[in-house]
Amino acid sequence: MVMFLFLVVALAAVVAAVTLAVVSGGDSGPLPDAAPERLRDSLPPDRPVGRADVERLRFPLVVRGYRMADVDDALGRLGAELAERDARIADLESALDGARAAVVPGHVSMEEPGREERP
């Protein structure tokens, strides 16, 4: 019988505590929406993107993965950087090919001075 009275008193205390929490917490209304998390370490706008920038790049998580706008912006920037570098490499390679073609064999040597080939 003592155990039954203890359980009734404990149940009454729990019901009273929950009721008090619900009634006193109802005045403040619902919690405000949290501000969406934004990309903190974006790619640098004032210089070319380097390997360390890409390794440091972290996208904030949202309900279904990552924010598509952040990922699209980063991929667009990386694509533009790669296209610019590819164009620069192609220009330099064509200039090198033109310089090699302009060299007349026997007039200019690419070897170190004073070094002769031995049979």
Side-chain angles (χ1 to χ4, degrees):
M1 185 69 171
V2 174
M3 183 61 113
F4 177 73
L5 287 176
F6 175 74
L7 289 175
V8 170
V9 170
L11 182 64
V14 168
V15 169
V18 169
T19 304
L20 182 63
V22 169
V23 170
S24 65
D27 295 338
S28 63
L31 293 175
D33 290 334
E37 191 176 354
R38 291 295 199 197
L39 185 62
R40 290 181 298 264
D41 296 328
S42 61
L43 298 173
D46 57 340
R47 63 178 171 79
V49 176
R51 178 182 176 142
D53 297 323
V54 175
E55 289 175 352
R56 189 175 43 245
L57 187 63
R58 297 289 179 262
F59 297 105
L61 294 175
V62 293
V63 176
R64 296 186 62 200
Y66 299 105
R67 292 190 70 239
M68 284 192 295
D70 289 341
V71 175
D72 290 344
D73 291 344
L75 289 176
R77 173 71 190 278
L78 289 173
E81 290 275 339
L82 288 174
E84 183 178 325
R85 289 180 187 182
D86 288 345
R88 178 75 175 141
I89 289 170
D91 289 344
L92 292 173
E93 286 178 344
S94 66
L96 180 61
D97 290 341
R100 284 181 180 159
V103 173
V104 177
H107 288 278
V108 177
S109 175
M110 300 297 287
E111 295 180 11
E112 296 176 14
R115 184 175 174 194
E116 297 177 11
E117 288 187 34
R118 295 191 177 140

